Structures are given as structure tokens and as C-alpha cells.
Amino acid sequence: MKSRFLTGVSHGIPICLGYLSVSFGFGINAAASGLSTIEASIISASNLTSAGQAAGVGIIAAGGTLLEMILVQLTINIRYALMGLSLSQNLDKKFTTPNRLLASYGITDEIFAVCSAQKQPLTPAYMYGIILISMFGWVTGTFLGASAGHLLPQSISSALGIVLYGMFIAIVVPPARRNKSILFVAAASALLSILFKYVITAVSSGFSVIICAIAAAAAGALLFPVDEEAEE
Amino acid sequence: MSTAIYIIVMAGVTYLIRMIPFTFFNKKIKSRFVRSFLKYIPYAVLSAMTIPAIFYSTGDVVTAAVGTVVAVALAFFNCPLIVVALAASLAAFLTGVII
């Protein structure tokens, strides 16, 4: 039991390091949007997600509606539902309902990627190990970014604003290169997003993301339905 | 509106999305369209969030554009997430120093 926990911690160390630097950028962005260090840290501890938090902070800063917040989080984070479904197929017997309720908090892109690569059934201890070390990196980075971001020279803190987006690019580009349908979806979504930014400016940025993503993903699903078995 | 309410709603929605399928679902989704849609959603979301927002992320379109090009190039050659993210930032920083 304990060794599975430590295995999880060791598998989570690269994630922790990656999260440290990315969430540092989030902390800076959050502080620049008017949030306090404590608020930014609580957001990171309670959400543990990059894109959803970035969009959420944008809505808070803009004074958006709660409906907008709910719809944006649903759209951006709906992928976690699919990941949860996928992980639920390969769980150890020790995964009782209370364990599932607790571990589901830590389903992120990177944790999902590492967990789904495991051959043996996932144990709660293993997932808690990987989640705990990853969360430590994510919250610490946010705290440092939000609190010390002001202390950095302007040239460095503004350059760090791009870190989170760099990570998004690193997630999208490799599969888009291998898979034409993903390239189509990503390109269509980006084009729509540009359209909403410069042409149809009445739509808020949060709703724009929802509309672009749903339209592009639906078009992709119609034009390039995935094979029954060949799911990546 | 209080920031706390936003944070509670944000965290609550995010948790429920993760918790419900992981805790209560055991069967696989049958609909091919839904499965395809769910597969494409992450890429569509990240793409829409990144473009064009990335060009305003550093406060200077030129430094951001250089960072973007570096990120796309490194991602194209499958560099790790953290390398891509930090290199984009370093490129934006160096560009800012030069211009």
C-alpha cells in the first residue's frame, strides 16, 4: 500500500516540476487580473486545472455572470469526464466509492496520461501519490507567481505570461501533426476564435471559447468520426 | 459579486465533471458522434483559448509572436511540455531585451 503511494509520488515528480513553472505564470496572470495571492492559491488548490482556471480568472476580472462561469468550466473541462470514464475501466478493487470521490478531484491531462499508461489496475494509493505531488507543485507555483510576480522585473514577469499558452501549444501541436482530423479541429477553432476577437466583438471571451470549441469539435465529429476501437 | 462565489462555483463545476463519470459510470459510451466529439473537444478548447490570446500574453505583440513561433516549432518536434512552455517564455524575454 505504502509502496504504491511512493511509486505514485515518483511518477508525479516530472508533473510537479512542470506544474511549478506553468502555475507560476498563472499566478502572475491572476495577480495582474486583480486577485490576491490567497485567492489565486485557493483557485489552484480547488480546481487543479490550467485552461479552466485561466478562463475563470478572465471571467472574474471581467465581472462575468455565474452562468457564463458554469458554461465555460463545463466546456473547457468536459474532457475530464471522458478521462474519468476511461480511467474507471481499469481500477483496482480497493477503489471503493469514497476513494473514487476523492481521487476524481485529481484527474488532469498529465495525471490522466501517466495513469492510463499503467498496465496494472490503478490503486487509490498510487493515484493519491501522483495527485499529491502534482498538486503541491501547482499550488506552490501559483503562490510564488502571485506573490513574487510583482518583485520580478517587468521584462521577466511579462515574458512569463506566455508560459501557460506555451503548454497549450505543446499539448495540441504534436497530435495535430500526426492526425489530420485533430489539425482540422484545432485550425477551425482558432479561425473562429479570431473571428470572434476581431469581427463579432459583441460576444464575451468566455462564451467565444465555448462556441468555437463546440462548433469545431462537432464539425470534426461529423466529418471525421473516430473508429470504434482505434481510440488514442 | 464576491470573488469567493465565483471560486466556489468554478471549483464545484470542475469537481462534478470529474467526479460523476469516474465514480458512477462503468459502461463505455456507445454513440460514435459523442465519442468523437469528446475526443476533439480538448484540442478545440485549447486552440480557441490560445489564439489569438497568446499574442497579447506578454504585453507586446512582437515578443509574443516570437515566443509563439518558438513554441510551435519545439512542439512540432515533440519536445516535452515544460521545455516548450519555458522556451516560449525565454524567447519572448530575449526578444524584449533586444528590441
Side-chain angles (χ1 to χ4, degrees):
Chain A
M1 184 78 178
K2 186 149 197 179
S3 73
R4 291 305 297 157
F5 177 79
L6 291 178
T7 307
V9 169
S10 71
H11 286 184
I13 287 173
I15 301 179
C16 171
L17 294 177
Y19 279 6
L20 254 178
S21 46
V22 171
S23 63
F24 193 87
F26 168 76
I28 289 175
N29 293 349
S33 301
L35 291 178
S36 70
T37 301
I38 297 300
E39 286 167 342
S41 304
I42 290 175
I43 289 176
S44 279
S46 59
N47 285 264
L48 198 67
T49 180
S50 57
Q53 289 184 199
V57 165
I59 292 169
I60 293 173
T65 63
L66 286 180
L67 178 68
E68 184 178 3
M69 179 66 93
I70 291 169
L71 291 176
V72 165
Q73 297 303 323
L74 264 177
T75 311
I76 294 179
N77 293 332
I78 198 73
R79 65 186 190 281
Y80 296 139
L82 185 70
M83 293 174 190
L85 273 183
S86 168
L87 290 179
S88 74
Q89 315 284 316
N90 187 32
L91 296 182
D92 190 89
K93 284 200 198 76
K94 294 200 185 88
F95 249 113
T96 53
T97 300
N99 279 319
R100 290 179 183 227
L101 288 173
L102 204 56
S104 55
Y105 150 82
I107 299 171
T108 71
D109 300 292
E110 293 76 16
I111 290 172
F112 167 75
V114 173
C115 285
S116 58
Q118 300 306 304
K119 295 278 191 302
Q120 59 212 105
L122 293 169
T123 61
Y126 176 81
M127 275 194 79
Y128 294 149
I130 196 169
I131 290 168
L132 214 61
I133 186 80
S134 303
M135 178 198 172
F136 172 77
W138 188 246
V139 176
T140 306
T142 303
F143 179 85
L144 293 175
S147 57
H150 330 283
L151 303 178
L152 290 176
Q154 178 68 34
S155 57
I156 294 179
S157 66
S158 59
L160 283 168
I162 203 173
V163 168
L164 208 60
Y165 295 107
M167 191 178 81
F168 296 162
I169 285 178
I171 293 173
V172 173
V173 169
R177 181 191 170 188
R178 288 193 302 271
N179 187 326
K180 289 281 183 295
S181 56
I182 292 176
L183 180 63
F184 166 83
V185 169
S189 187
L191 281 176
L192 284 172
S193 178
I194 289 171
L195 198 68
F196 277 109
K197 172 78 180 180
Y198 301 109
V199 184
I200 313 170
T201 50
V203 180
S204 71
S205 67
F207 277 121
S208 156
V209 168
I210 297 172
I211 296 167
C212 296
I214 289 179
L222 285 174
L223 294 172
F224 310 103
V226 293
D227 295 332
E228 283 304 313
E229 299 302 323
E231 204 159 305
E232 192 175 358
Chain B
M1 198 174 335
S2 151
T3 305
I5 295 173
Y6 279 118
I7 296 177
I8 290 167
V9 168
M10 188 175 161
V13 172
T14 303
Y15 176 68
L16 289 177
I17 291 168
R18 286 167 162 152
M19 184 276 279
I20 291 170
F22 188 68
T23 308
F24 300 112
F25 279 36
N26 294 309
K27 284 186 283 186
K28 271 212 152 189
I29 295 174
K30 288 281 192 291
S31 160
R32 197 178 180 200
F33 176 80
V34 173
R35 283 155 46 101
S36 305
F37 179 79
L38 288 174
K39 180 194 168 188
Y40 292 133
I41 270 288
Y43 306 108
V45 166
L46 294 178
S47 192
M49 282 195 68
T50 304
I51 296 174
I54 191 171
F55 297 108
Y56 302 96
S57 65
T58 64
D60 182 302
V61 177
V62 177
T63 64
V66 173
T68 305
V69 169
V70 167
V72 171
L74 292 178
F76 189 83
F77 292 108
N78 292 314
C79 289
L81 289 190
I82 184 63
V83 172
V84 175
L86 290 182
S89 185
L90 183 65
F93 170 73
L94 291 177
T95 308
V97 170
I98 293 165
I99 61 175

